[in-house]
Amino acid sequence: MRLLIVEDEKRLAVSLAKGLRAEGFAVDVVHDGLEGLHLAGEGTYDLIVLDIMLPGMNGYRVCAGLRAAGNDVPILMLTAKDGEYDEAEGLDTGADDYLTKPFSYVVLVARVKALLRRRGSAGASPVLRIGTLTVDTATRRVHRADTEVALTAKEFAVLEQLAVRAGQIVGKPEILEHVWDFAYDGDPNIIEVYISALRRKLGATTIQTVRGAGYRLVAV
Ligand code: CA
């Protein structure tokens, strides 16, 4: 799951990003409305956290711009406490939910997950079944037959990318893009560390290596 935060209060943006990454999301951050509209328009995000008062272009206009372009990515708007946010206007421009500052981090995460869940249930089922493996993308729990398998947030995120395309080859760049951030400039082979951990926990034959191409999750 990949999120975009558009927020010009840099300290807030950085701490939100840090917290959401700890939950296993890949997070990109921009501080300007126009840049936010541009990045969001590229369409690779699962959810956007959007401040209202922004340099470049305000959040209402960013939101309206995305909707006018047919982009239905879930949008959670952030607003200051002084009634800056006009709920009618916000929902009118197509925001899915809003949160008043200052908010607790726990509440933000709950709202983000609720929006992603809502999206999940409107589209494909959030529970993926691959052979005896069950991956619940809403609760982020994994079972092998009836036994729960404990995964770290990043392990889950890597598995999720493979599970949504079970049986197909998923390349390292695609996994990196969805699980790490665009700012990640380390070694793409970091993925191998997570693949090894997943094989250890899920069974060695679960994830095949397709030399030079990527990985494939198979039913066992
Ligand atoms: Ca602001």
Side-chain angles (χ1 to χ4, degrees), residues 29-185:
V29 178
V30 292
H31 307 296
D32 173 282
L34 266 178
E35 206 178 334
L37 178 63
H38 175 72
L39 263 187
E42 292 180 347
T44 56
Y45 293 101
D46 298 295
L47 182 139
I48 297 176
V49 177
L50 181 63
D51 188 30
I52 291 175
M53 298 303 288
L54 290 164
M57 178 185 277
N58 74 42
Y60 293 127
R61 292 186 53 206
V62 172
C63 187
L66 286 169
R67 297 305 188 232
N71 188 324
D72 63 351
V73 62
I75 294 177
L76 174 60
M77 277 195 160
L78 304 181
T79 176
K81 199 176 181 166
D82 56 11
E84 164 205 345
Y85 181 79
D86 179 329
E87 187 177 349
E89 188 175 358
L91 296 177
D92 204 41
T93 54
D96 296 275
D97 199 2
Y98 70 97
L99 203 54
T100 305
K101 295 176 189 173
F103 47 80
S104 96
Y105 177 70
V106 175
V107 170
L108 173 89
V109 171
R111 297 286 192 89
V112 164
K113 288 184 176 173
L115 280 177
L116 290 171
R117 208 156 41 232
R118 212 190 292 167
R119 174 56 47 99
S121 61
S125 162
V127 180
L128 305 167
R129 290 191 176 81
I130 305 98
T132 56
L133 186 68
T134 308
V135 180
D136 189 326
T137 60
T139 62
R140 308 175 78 80
R141 294 172 75 176
V142 174
H143 288 79
R144 170 65 87 192
D146 292 328
T147 309
E148 180 157 10
V149 183
L151 299 181
T152 67
K154 274 278 192 281
E155 287 166 0
F156 181 87
V158 171
L159 177 65
E160 184 180 32
Q161 287 307 310
L162 295 171
V164 293
R165 291 170 57 194
Q168 301 173 37
I169 299 171
V170 184
K172 277 186 194 172
E174 295 159 75
I175 300 175
L176 269 184
E177 179 176 318
H178 283 274
V179 179
W180 279 265
D181 315 306
F182 70 162
Y184 181 77
D185 56 0

